Each structure stands twice: as C-alpha cells, then as structure tokens.
Amino acid sequence: MDWRPVPKPVSKPKEKPRYKERKPKKRKKLETFKGRTIPPAKVRGSISKKEYEKVIELYGHNCAYCFSSYIEMHHIRFRSQQGRGTHRNLIPLCKEHHGLAHRNRVFADQLRRERIESYGEWYWADKFDLWKQNLIPNTTDKAFESFMQDQEVKARAASSSNL
C-alpha cells in the first residue's frame, strides 16, 4: 500500500460543451455605380466555363509555350491587380511556365506586352470596368464586345506600324 500525504485528485465530471452562438457574417456592401450594383471582384476574377472554352478554342489544349498537355489557366494581369476572368486576360500554361509567370517579372511583363499588342490596353477589363471608366454607355455584352473589337483593331494597326 502506498502512503500518500495528499489525497488522490478526483476528476470532476465533464460539463457538456457549450455552443457559441454564431454571429451572422458581416456582408460587405456591394459597390454601386450610377444606381447599379457591380459584382464583387472575386466573382469578376473567376473563370467561367464559357471563357475557359474560348481560351481553349484559341490556344488548344496545350501550353502556349512548350505545348505540354497538362495546363493551368493563368491570369495575365493578376486578380490581385484587378485582372478579370475574360478570355483576353487568360492563357493556358503548363505548371512550369505558370510558376515562371508568377516568379519571373520579366516573363510576366513579356506576356502583358504581347497581350497589349494583340488586344489593346484594356485586355484585362470586363464590361463593368469599362462602364465605370465611361468607355461604354452601358454594361451590355454587345457594347463591351464592340469596344473590345475596336481596341483590337487599333492595337494590331499600331503594332504593325511599329514593325
């Protein structure tokens, strides 16, 4: 028998866990412009299936540089810099080139210059960006595409005159 000068500790019965009342999430106020609600940047930067298919139609199912069949979509102007998920701002790259585009500033700038020469300064924008800058009268797809096609013609004319 062990002699203990202090009594052995007795565990208290465990209480049932108390649940914290969840506070409702604070919703960010949506941006409005001229009385219209503009979708949040997260939504505008995401790649829709329609835009993904347009990029695949333009470049095929391969990396734009090494023609590897495993591809990842790259935002040429990063989402953190307000780049949108439009086909003009996307390029399919393999894992190696995608990592290079994020690590190597020279390579990323080269991609941006090529895009500007092909599509103009607003290649990264969506219809809401152009509307907020008063470049198009409303947020219709027709007005957006018309503006972007005009920009493409001007950009290609400028790049051919520079040669």
Side-chain angles (χ1 to χ4, degrees):
M1 222 169 144
D2 290 344
W3 181 77
R4 295 179 188 218
V6 178
K8 188 175 178 182
V10 179
S11 61
K12 295 179 182 178
K14 293 184 179 177
E15 294 180 20
K16 290 184 180 180
R18 294 182 180 162
Y19 294 103
K20 290 184 178 178
E21 287 187 33
R22 291 190 180 197
K23 296 179 183 175
K25 290 183 180 179
K26 291 183 181 178
R27 292 191 177 193
K28 293 181 181 177
K29 285 216 169 198
L30 294 175
E31 181 182 0
T32 57
F33 184 75
K34 293 183 181 177
R36 288 180 121 174
T37 303
I38 297 175
K42 186 174 183 177
V43 172
R44 294 165 61 198
S46 65
I47 303 169
S48 69
K49 186 171 179 118
K50 178 181 160 187
E51 295 294 333
Y52 186 91
E53 293 299 325
K54 281 185 186 177
V55 175
I56 295 298
E57 190 177 304
L58 289 170
Y59 291 95
H61 290 277
N62 300 323
C63 174
Y65 285 92
C66 68
F67 306 107
S68 170
S69 60
Y70 176 76
I71 59 170
E72 299 172 350
M73 280 299 161
H74 173 65
H75 286 76
I76 295 172
R77 181 166 176 175
F78 301 139
R79 287 182 290 174
S80 61
Q81 299 168 346
Q82 273 41 69
R84 307 301 179 204
T86 63
H87 70 277
R88 292 174 182 91
N89 191 36
L90 298 172
I91 189 168
L93 298 174
C94 66
K95 188 174 183 112
E96 184 177 324
H97 284 108
H98 193 196
L100 183 65
H102 284 277
R103 288 189 310 272
N104 187 337
R105 180 73 180 247
V106 174
F107 183 67
D109 288 342
Q110 176 192 346
L111 289 173
R112 289 185 195 102
R113 277 193 305 277
E114 289 172 3
R115 252 336 122 101
I116 290 170
E117 289 173 6
S118 298
Y119 295 112
E121 288 288 328
W122 292 94
Y123 71 91
W124 56 271
D126 66 358
K127 58 188 175 183
F128 296 104
D129 292 316
L130 298 179
W131 183 57
K132 284 170 57 178
Q133 294 295 320
N134 292 320
L135 297 172
I136 58 176
N138 53 34
T139 57
T140 61
D141 290 333
K142 185 178 178 181
F144 173 70
E145 285 302 321
S146 174
F147 176 83
M148 292 307 286
Q149 287 171 356
D150 289 345
Q151 290 293 305
E152 286 178 40
V153 169
K154 289 177 186 174
R156 290 190 177 137
S159 66
S160 65
S161 67
N162 289 340
L163 298 175

